[in-house]
Structures are given as structure tokens and as C-alpha cells.
Amino acid sequence: MGEQKLTIEHLNKNFEVDGKSVNILNDINLNINEGEFVAIVGHSGCGKSTLLKIIAGLLDYEEGSVILDNKKITKPDIDRGMVFQEHRLFPWLTIKENLAIGLDQLDKKEKEEIISDHLKLVDLEDFGNVYPHQLSGGMSQRAAIARALVNAPKVLLLDEPFGALDALTKITLQDEILKIWEKEKTTMIMVTHDIEEAVYLADRIVVMSARPGRIKEIVNVNLGRSRDRGSVDFARIKKRILVHFFEDKSLTLEYNI
Ligand SMILES: Nc1ncnc2c1ncn2[C@@H]1O[C@H](COP(=O)(O)OP(=O)(O)O)[C@@H](O)[C@H]1O
Ligand SMILES: [Mg+2]
């Protein structure tokens, strides 16, 4: 694991709701290392997307600091890419043209090379000239991931990127994102409501509580790679996360965790 990349200290974020200021993120402290894969889980509305948008530079905040490579984040930049639950590709552009956005500064040959490399990276090399509506949900998400990666961001922010996909497509995409992560060494921060997905992918899992959003626990996933979803160790970590979301504490008694 590399150097510390992202440092979030005493972050507080409020939103104006009905004319009143409501605290959404409360004293968030989180350090993420270069090349790390971090998942964030928590109930709907606890502020996960808000946190990602702050890291993306799309939202400001009241207190604290969010620092990437020793620089305070104040606006979006190409050092951070973002992927959402829906692909957000431009429907009137081909997949290649979608990837070309943001590569304007390059000459034609360089641009074509980068686009072709990234289509290969997500197994879409034969689909560069088609339009988004001609792709399946999983393929569209792969195109969205490729588009987020063409500028070689240091950090990829993923907001429930596989949340709308069917279970089997999701499993395939999880393996693809791992392959990309291993190849590109991009720091990944993924919000997900799928706890199994978090355990399968992440080095660490940030568990958040709701209203206001706080970090309850950061769980290290000490499973190595090529993880077995059916193993007892896998289940143990899954359960350790799950107990945060249930009132019934008897859940913790079954296994020693
Ligand atoms: N632009 C906004 N203005 C006011 N409230 C917002 C805004 N965006 C999000 N919120 C509120 O902030 C809370 C956290 O939202 P969000 O970060 O989207 O949650 P999550 O992604 O964890 O489901 C929610 O209560 C939501 O209604
Ligand atoms: Mg969200």
C-alpha cells in the first residue's frame, strides 16, 4: 500500500432544509492510502453520496478539511473520476465519442489510442461505434467506468455503480472492477448498499450511522484477494458489518466476532 492520499479531518456538512440548517455529515475523519480500495456502507440518506460529492469537489462544506495529495479539495478536477448508479453517458454520442469528452487537448492519434486502450480495459473494444441505448445495463456501466478512467484519475469515486444491475451482471462487474483496480492501481472509494459487495471488493469498509452521518466503525477486510464468498471468514466479516444495522444484538452471539 502506498502513501496516504486522501485525508479527511473533522468534516462537517450541513444542508438547508425548510429554512433550517440540518447537520448531514458529523465529524468525519478518514485517511485513505494510495491504491487502497475503500467501501462505504450505511442506511439510505446517511450522507454517503454527499461525502463522495465533497471529495469530488462538487459540494463545499462548513468545517474541517478534505485534502488530496497535500492540496485542499475546492473544485472538481481530472485527478478524480466519478461513476454513478446510472451511466450518465450522452445518448446522442457513440461510446467512443463519450470517452473522447475531456480528451480535447490531445492530438487525434493519442486520443484514439487512449480510447482504444480503455475500451479494451472494460471489454468493449467492439462497441466503440454504437450508441448507449444499444448496450445492456452492464455494458453501459462498463462504458461509464472507461469514461471515468480516460483521464487517468488518481481516485475513482463510485456511487452505487452496480446498484441497478441484476445479480449475475453485478458479480461479473465486481470482478472487472477488481481487475481494473489491480491493473491501473487507482485508489477506489465505492459507496454501496450491498454488504457482500463491500466485503468482496474492499480493503476497508467504512460503516456509517444515520442522522447525522457519522463513522461508526472502519472494518479491515483481512481476507487477501481472490475471495471466496462462501467461506466462513467471509461470512464473519459480513456479519460484523450487518450487526450495525440491526437492533437485535442476539445476532452477534452466533459467531465469535
Ligand atoms: N442538495 C441538498 N439539499 C438539501 N438536502 C440534501 C441535499 N442533498 C442531499 N440532502 C439530504 O442529505 C441527506 C444525505 O443525502 P445523501 O448523501 O444523498 O444520502 P445517501 O447517499 O447516504 O443515501 C439526506 O437526508 C438528503 O435528503
Ligand atoms: Mg446516495
Side-chain angles (χ1 to χ4, degrees):
M1 200 100 346
E3 303 270 290
Q4 192 165 299
K5 171 137 292 265
L6 181 74
T7 307
I8 301 174
E9 278 178 342
H10 304 299
L11 171 67
N12 274 288
K13 169 74 189 166
N14 300 333
F15 273 129
E16 197 83 10
V17 180
D18 264 349
K20 274 185 293 191
S21 176
V22 179
N23 185 219
I24 301 293
L25 293 172
N26 188 271
D27 197 24
I28 302 290
N29 293 282
L30 181 63
N31 293 317
I32 296 181
N33 293 322
E34 191 172 348
E36 202 176 6
F37 201 132
V38 172
I40 302 173
V41 299
H43 281 298
S44 179
C46 75
K48 304 179 296 296
S49 295
T50 302
L51 180 57
L52 277 201
K53 283 182 201 155
I54 288 172
I55 299 170
L58 296 168
L59 278 176
D60 60 7
Y61 46 92
E62 278 68 38
E63 275 173 48
S65 60
V66 183
I67 292 168
L68 179 65
D69 284 335
N70 304 314
K71 275 200 308 240
K72 193 165 172 163
I73 291 175
T74 54
K75 58 178 175 40
D77 209 332
I78 58 169
D79 58 2
R80 281 149 286 145
M82 195 146 178
V83 178
F84 301 89
Q85 186 165 346
E86 55 312 322
H87 58 70
R88 301 198 185 187
L89 299 165
F90 293 114
W92 59 88
L93 298 179
T94 64
I95 300 307
K96 267 188 188 167
E97 289 164 350
N98 266 285
L99 264 61
I101 298 168
L103 294 176
D104 275 349
Q105 72 285 12
L106 303 179
D107 65 47
K108 195 161 173 266
K109 190 166 164 281
E110 242 180 322
K111 208 193 273 192
E112 274 171 11
E113 238 173 65
I114 290 184
I115 290 172
S116 148
D117 285 351
H118 283 82
L119 287 177
K120 259 192 220 126
L121 186 70
V122 296
D123 289 329
L124 287 180
E125 58 264 55
D126 297 331
F127 295 89
N129 295 317
V130 309
Y131 288 87
H133 77 271
Q134 295 172 288
L135 298 183
S136 69
M139 289 160 92
S140 307
Q141 276 314 73
R142 276 158 38 203
I145 291 168
R147 186 180 60 177
L149 288 173
V150 286
N151 288 306
K154 297 170 187 160
V155 181
L156 188 61
L157 304 164
L158 303 129
D159 195 353
E160 308 201 14
F162 310 143
L165 303 176
D166 68 86
L168 294 180
T169 305
K170 189 191 247 198
I171 286 176
T172 311
L173 271 270
Q174 288 167 356
D175 282 329
E176 294 222 356
I177 201 77
L178 277 184
K179 196 181 75 187
I180 291 168
W181 173 61
E182 276 156 15
K183 184 157 183 282
E184 306 287 303
K185 316 240 179 298
T186 315
T187 305
M188 302 273 187
I189 308 176
M190 180 191 277
V191 166
T192 177
H193 55 247
D194 180 338
I195 291 166
E196 179 172 307
E197 176 168 276
V199 179
Y200 188 69
L201 296 176
D203 295 314
R204 287 188 298 154
I205 301 172
V206 177
V207 183
M208 288 183 62
S209 66
R211 273 179 239 116
R214 286 201 185 96
I215 295 180
K216 275 178 105 176
E217 192 187 359
I218 300 178
V219 176
N220 287 317
V221 184
N222 299 317
L223 290 177
R225 288 292 159 182
S226 296
R227 295 177 181 169
D228 176 359
R229 296 172 204 261
S231 74
V232 172
D233 287 338
F234 194 101
R236 210 171 261 147
I237 295 179
K238 221 168 121 179
K239 192 158 177 190
R240 170 159 189 153
I241 311 287
L242 269 174
V243 292
H244 283 290
F245 301 106
F246 289 94
E247 291 298 318
D248 180 7
K249 297 295 182 223
S250 67
L251 241 171
T252 56
L253 299 177
E254 261 174 67
Y255 290 115
N256 272 327
I257 55 172

